[in-house]
Each structure stands twice: as C-alpha cells, then as structure tokens.
C-alpha cells in the first residue's frame, strides 16, 4: 500500500509511521518530493495478495496516524496515477518567461520545434515560427536518443545553451529530453518540462531521478509498451512525490511498414478513463511522414488530447534528424488555425 503524507507533515510524523511499520515487520520506501512525502509499504501484509482483513486493519491504523493524508491499496501495479486515487484531472504547470503554461486545463497546448537543435539560426527560426503559430512551449533535442550510434546524437551542452537563448528571445518554455541519470541536473537547469523518451520509458533509475528533480516531466510511451506498463512507469515518477507528469502518446510499433509508428488514438480517451494525468500526442514520431502529420494532429485533439508535440524545421529536407516527419514552417502555420477550430468545437 501507499501512504501519502500531508503537505505539513513533520519529521516526527514520518518517524512515527516508520516505527509502526517496522513493528509489524514491514519495510517503508520513503520518497521525499518537493511538495509532499510518499511512503510505499513493502511486505507480505501490505501487497495485493495480503489477507484482506489484515490489510484493511493496517490501512485504518496508518490512516489514523498524525501527518497521514491518505492510505491507498495497490491492486494493479500503479495507484497514484489512477483515477481511483484522484478523480480530479491533474493540471501540470510549466513555468515559462511568458507565464505559466497549464497542461490538463481547458486549453490545448502546442509544443513545437525541431527534432534536434542544430544551430542558432535553425533553432531561432523554428522558435519564432512556433510562437507565431500559437505554441507556448519550444521542443528541441540537445541530447538525442538515436537508434543507430551513427546518426546525429545532438549538440549536447551547446544545444542546451541554444535552447536557453531561444527561450529568452521568444518567451517560450523549453521541452527537452534527458537521456541519463548523470545529466538530469544539467538538463533540468535548462528545461521547463523534462522529456523522457520512448527508449527510456522503463528506465526506473532515470524515472526516479527526473521525479526527484522537481521539474514537470513529459513521459513518452515506449513503442512496445502497453498502457498499463506506461502508467506503471509514470508511477515511478509520482512515487517520488512529484505529481507533475504528462503522458505523451508517440505511436506504437505495429505490422504496418508504410508508417514509422501507429499513433494509438484509443490511448487518449482510455487514459482519460484510467488516469487523471494530462495526455498529449506526438503525431511526428507517431506517423513518421510529414504528409500525415496534419490529419493525425487534428484527430489527436478531437480525441481529447491536452496538447500536441510537433516537429517543425525551417528546411525539413536539410534536417539532421527526422526531416521526413518535420513540417515546414508554412505548413505548420497553415495547420494551427485548424487545430484551434477543432479545439473550439470541443469547447477548449
Ligand atoms: C523525439 O521527440 O524526437 C524523440 C526522439 O521521440 P521518441 O522518444 O518518442 O522516439
Ligand atoms: Mn524526432
């Protein structure tokens, strides 16, 4: 089971809880978040298979301790991410120079920019076009997770510096990927929203490290991950006490070779049933084909996505990465009024 401590719980409250658990032969797994502390309780009497009466009695005992806000049973591998744990939708708040951007609120958030940061001129041109089209967040990879070690791996630290420059020049918040535990601090210093990519969705140490960073996290779905596996990955972040998680559907691998991935539209309304976390779509990785990106973007918004992640490039043909799925700046500008029309039709 999971014990969620109150925001104002003290160290004494936590010590008392730990003492009660130890007395019963149970092991507490304490995650101290920026906002609150969450304690996972590990032991025979606390899990899904525990004798019902004993677990109920323990739950009631723990719920009565000072400093404890709630005690949640875990029956399916994730709990904090579930609708049962929280009925109201989570709003993820990303701070940007131009103010707070809210994911999971009434509006549909546009995140646009190049797949990879390549140069100052490329990034600034993309960022200015992104903002002109209505984006509030700039996406761009400084550290790129490449399938092949021979493809472009990103500019690294120099790419982060260019993102910071584009952020200051445009007021857009920055969404960028973090690939490893060792670079979480460095990337967090630049990112307003930390991206965990498809290849790292199930990397537990990285999920815990981004959770502890205190930054909001955009968690992409692995291309062969089920929705429950993805929610369990989100649970790793939530269990650190960081509740600011956005789920990003970026397509899954199917038998279809004509598209890079198949964007799972079902996932959007299904996640809305199963979870309170905001859901966004990435039609760029989701299709792999520029000609399909517009239609799939509109479909994602129509299905209830809280935001869209779009790859755009001033010269897609010359892009060092993912040019085939990147929209040119004019195509992006033409798509945005359609996105607004669909959002408006849904009352957003
Ligand atoms: C990307 O956003 O450019 C990317 C690498 O995405 P994914 O992790 O979904 O493949
Ligand atoms: Mn890409």
């Amino acid at each position: 089971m999971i014990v969620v401590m109150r925001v104002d719980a003290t160290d004494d409250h936590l010590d008392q809880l730990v003492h009660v658990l130890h007395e019963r032969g149970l092991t507490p797994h304490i995650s101290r978040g920026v906002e609150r502390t969450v304690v996972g309780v590990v032991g025979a009497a606390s899990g899904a298979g525990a004798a019902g009466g004993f677990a109920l009695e323990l739950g009631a005992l723990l719920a009565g301790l000072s400093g404890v806000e709630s005690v949640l049973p875990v029956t399916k591998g994730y709990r904090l991410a579930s609708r049962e744990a929280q009925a109201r939708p989570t709003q993820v708040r990303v701070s940007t120079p131009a103010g707070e951007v809210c994911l999971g609120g009434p509006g549909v958030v546009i995140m646009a920019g190049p797949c990879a940061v390549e140069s100052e001129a490329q990034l600034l041109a993309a960022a200015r076009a992104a903002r002109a089209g209505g984006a509030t967040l700039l996406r761009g990879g400084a550290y790129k997770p490449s399938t092949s070690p021979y493809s472009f791996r990103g500019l690294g630290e120099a790419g982060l510096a260019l993102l910071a420059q584009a952020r200051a020049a445009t007021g857009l918040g920055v969404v960028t990927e973090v690939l490893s535990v060792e670079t979480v601090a460095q990337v967090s210093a630049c990112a307003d929203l930390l991206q965990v990519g498809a290849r790292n969705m199930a990397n537990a140490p990285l999920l815990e490290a981004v959770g502890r960073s205190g930054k909001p996290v955009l968690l992409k779905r692995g291309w062969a991950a089920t929705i429950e596996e993805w929610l369990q990955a989100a649970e790793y972040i939530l269990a650190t006490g960081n509740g600011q998680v956005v789920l990003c559907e970026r397509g899954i691998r199917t038998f279809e070779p004509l598209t890079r991935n198949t964007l799972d539209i079902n996932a959007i309304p299904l996640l809305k049933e199963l979870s309170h976390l905001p859901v966004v779509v990435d039609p760029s990785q989701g299709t792999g084909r520029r000609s399909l990106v517009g239609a799939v973007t509109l479909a994602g918004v129509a299905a209830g996505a809280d935001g869209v992640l779009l790859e755009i490039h001033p010269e897609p043909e010359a892009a060092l990465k993912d040019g085939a799925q990147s929209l040119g700046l004019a195509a992006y500008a033409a798509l945005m009024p359609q996105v607004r029309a669909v959002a408006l039709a849904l009352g957003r």
Side-chain angles (χ1 to χ4, degrees):
M1 58 184 62
I2 297 165
V3 182
V4 181
M5 302 302 288
R6 289 165 50 108
V7 175
D8 59 3
T10 63
D11 285 349
D12 284 347
H13 293 148
L14 194 59
D15 288 347
Q16 194 198 359
L17 169 69
V18 168
H19 178 74
V20 169
L21 293 173
H22 281 156
E23 265 182 353
R24 283 158 184 78
L26 298 166
T27 308
H29 178 81
I30 301 171
S31 305
R32 287 177 191 271
V34 176
E35 267 183 31
R36 63 174 78 240
T37 298
V38 172
V39 183
V41 180
V42 183
S46 67
F54 189 89
L56 272 180
E57 207 177 290
L58 178 69
L61 171 74
L62 299 180
L65 296 177
S66 310
V68 171
E69 181 170 287
S70 55
V71 179
L72 307 170
V74 180
T75 52
K76 54 186 174 191
Y78 66 93
R79 178 73 210 197
L80 300 171
S82 72
R83 272 279 176 196
E84 293 84 59
Q86 184 186 308
R88 116 193 102 77
T90 283
Q91 299 197 337
V92 171
R93 294 172 186 284
V94 181
S95 45
T96 79
E100 205 168 66
V101 172
C102 175
L103 284 140
V108 174
V109 174
I110 308 298
M111 297 167 259
C115 175
V117 177
E118 298 170 15
S119 68
E120 181 180 334
Q122 173 245 18
L123 185 64
L124 282 176
R128 293 204 169 100
R131 190 187 55 184
T136 47
L137 298 175
L138 171 67
R139 63 141 294 152
Y143 290 100
K144 290 307 301 179
S146 286
T147 301
S148 163
Y150 307 119
S151 37
F152 183 54
R153 310 270 294 273
L155 297 179
E157 221 173 331
L160 294 177
L162 291 175
L163 283 166
Q165 190 186 332
R167 181 181 189 272
T170 60
L172 297 171
V174 166
V175 188
T176 197
E177 181 162 355
V178 58
L179 285 183
S180 64
V181 172
E182 303 79 66
T183 50
V184 168
Q186 186 199 53
V187 178
S188 301
C190 165
D192 299 297
L193 177 60
L194 276 176
Q195 177 173 328
V196 173
R199 290 158 188 79
N200 266 319
M201 184 208 82
N203 182 340
L206 181 63
L207 296 171
E208 292 180 326
V210 295
R212 284 192 297 266
S213 76
K215 287 274 171 165
V217 180
L218 180 97
L219 177 64
K220 289 198 157 197
R221 180 182 188 176
W223 58 72
T226 66
I227 286 171
E228 286 203 329
E229 287 163 347
W230 186 14
L231 287 170
Q232 289 172 80
E235 189 82 3
Y236 268 96
I237 303 169
L238 299 175
T240 67
N242 180 345
Q244 297 281 287
V245 178
V246 181
L247 300 167
C248 177
E249 164 61 40
R250 48 77 73 204
I252 50 176
R253 177 153 300 172
T254 64
F255 54 79
E256 179 51 66
L258 293 181
T259 49
R260 182 177 176 187
N261 291 292
T262 297
L263 192 116
D264 182 6
I265 289 285
N266 294 358
I268 306 162
L270 182 52
L271 284 167
K272 293 281 170 191
E273 287 180 18
L274 298 175
S275 179
H276 50 87
L277 296 173
V279 183
V280 303
V281 287
D282 174 351
S284 306
Q285 330 301 319
T287 61
R289 293 172 78 121
R290 187 182 310 140
S291 63
L292 308 181
V293 166
V296 175
T297 298
L298 299 175
V301 174
D306 296 298
V308 184
L309 196 70
L310 283 170
E311 290 184 341
I312 64 172
H313 196 289
E315 273 183 285
E317 274 76 22
L320 295 181
K321 203 153 181 70
D322 287 353
Q325 66 193 34
S326 299
L327 293 179
L329 304 185
Y332 163 76
L335 175 61
M336 285 303 105
Q338 297 179 15
V339 170
R340 276 193 284 279
V342 174
L344 201 64
L346 297 173
R348 307 190 75 165

